[in-house]
Amino acid sequence: MTATQVSARELFRNAYENRYTWDANFPGYTADVTYEKGDTVVTGKAKVGADMKAEVHDVEDDTVQKAIHGQLWETAIHRVRREFESVHGDNTFSYGETDDTGAVGINIGGKGEGDRYQLRDNEVCMVHRHIHGVVVTIHTQSSHDTGEGYLSHRYDSVYHDPKTGEQKGTKSDFEDEYTQVGDYWILSKRTIHSADSETPEVFTFSNIQLLNA
C-alpha cells in the first residue's frame, strides 16, 4: 500500500495506531531510580500508577526530584491509549513533500492548523506541534518494534516561539531503553544530551515491578 493509494488521514491514522501504548489493564509499576549527571548521583524510588500519575520518593534534592518526575510523567503520557478520533477528529490531513529519505509529509488543518508530521515505514518520524504556547519539533532517528507497536529509541527535540520562530532553550538528544516486564514495556534508561551541557543526564530505572505482581 503506497501513499498515493490511501488518503493522508488514513496513512497518518495507521502510523498513529502503530505506536506502542499500554492497554486498559495496565496496573502501574514501581522501580528503583538512579539519577546521574557528572559527579552527581542520586538514588530513590519511583512509581507510576494505573492512573498514569507519577510519584518520586526518597529524593531530597528538589531539582532532581522534579527532573525524575518530569521524565516519568512524559513517558506515561505517551503510553496512554487514546482513540484516533478523540485526538484527531477535528483535524484535516493533506500530503506535504516526501524527502530524500522517503519520509512522507503530512500537513494538519482544522483544530491542529499549522502542525506537521513526517511518516516513514508506518511510523511517525517527525513531529512539529504547537503545545502550550510553544512549537516543539521532534525528529526520531531510530525506533524499537515491540511486536505491539513501536517505541522511539533515539530522537531529538527543540522548542521555538510560534510567532517569531526564535529558538527557546537548547536542542536535546534522547536515547531510551525499555525492558519488558510482564505484558508491558517499561522505560529502564533515558540518557539526555543537551547542547548547553557537556555532561548528559542519565535516568536509570531498575527492579521494575508491576503493581499487581
Side-chain angles (χ1 to χ4, degrees):
M1 188 165 58
T2 65
T4 56
Q5 293 173 315
V6 299
S7 69
R9 185 184 191 86
E10 185 178 352
L11 197 75
F12 182 82
R13 180 175 186 145
N14 289 340
Y16 174 87
E17 293 179 345
N18 188 36
R19 299 171 309 122
Y20 175 77
T21 54
W22 293 326
D23 61 25
N25 296 319
F26 174 69
Y29 67 92
T30 57
D32 297 333
V33 58
T34 302
Y35 171 91
E36 299 173 77
K37 183 177 174 67
D39 295 331
T40 300
V41 179
V42 178
T43 60
K45 303 287 185 180
K47 175 184 175 182
V48 174
D51 58 2
M52 301 295 181
K53 292 184 178 179
E55 299 176 16
V56 180
H57 302 284
D58 301 335
V59 175
E60 293 183 3
D61 187 307
D62 192 50
T63 301
V64 173
Q65 194 271 346
K66 288 180 179 178
I68 296 169
H69 185 275
Q71 300 309 317
L72 287 170
W73 175 82
E74 184 178 311
T75 302
I77 286 296
H78 285 90
R79 298 287 80 78
V80 175
R81 185 169 298 182
R82 293 189 177 95
E83 293 301 318
F84 178 81
E85 290 299 328
S86 71
V87 178
H88 291 287
D90 294 329
N91 290 338
T92 61
F93 299 82
S94 61
Y95 282 116
E97 296 181 359
T98 299
D99 69 16
D100 55 9
T101 71
V104 178
I106 301 289
N107 297 326
I108 306 300
K111 185 177 181 180
E113 179 78 40
D115 291 352
R116 294 183 284 109
Y117 298 87
Q118 285 182 327
L119 312 180
R120 187 190 302 113
D121 299 328
N122 201 29
E123 297 181 6
V124 177
C125 60
M126 190 281 289
V127 174
H128 182 84
R129 285 188 63 199
H130 295 71
I131 304 174
H132 306 310
V134 296
V135 175
V136 60
T137 305
I138 301 168
H139 287 91
T140 300
Q141 290 85 39
S142 65
S143 60
H144 167 64
D145 182 5
T146 68
E148 298 177 344
Y150 72 92
L151 286 164
S152 296
H153 173 54
R154 291 179 58 249
Y155 53 99
D156 59 59
S157 70
V158 64
Y159 293 87
H160 289 89
D161 185 290
K163 294 181 180 178
T164 66
E166 180 183 354
Q167 182 171 318
K168 300 173 76 69
T170 58
K171 177 173 169 285
S172 297
D173 294 281
F174 295 76
E175 183 168 340
D176 290 350
E177 298 177 19
Y178 286 83
T179 299
Q180 189 171 20
V181 182
D183 294 332
Y184 302 95
W185 288 89
I186 309 290
L187 183 71
S188 54
K189 187 175 183 179
R190 171 169 286 174
T191 304
I192 306 175
H193 295 267
S194 296
D196 61 350
S197 176
E198 294 183 0
T199 52
E201 284 186 297
V202 183
F203 303 81
T204 304
F205 301 95
S206 58
N207 189 28
I208 300 169
Q209 297 185 29
L210 299 180
L211 287 174
N212 65 352

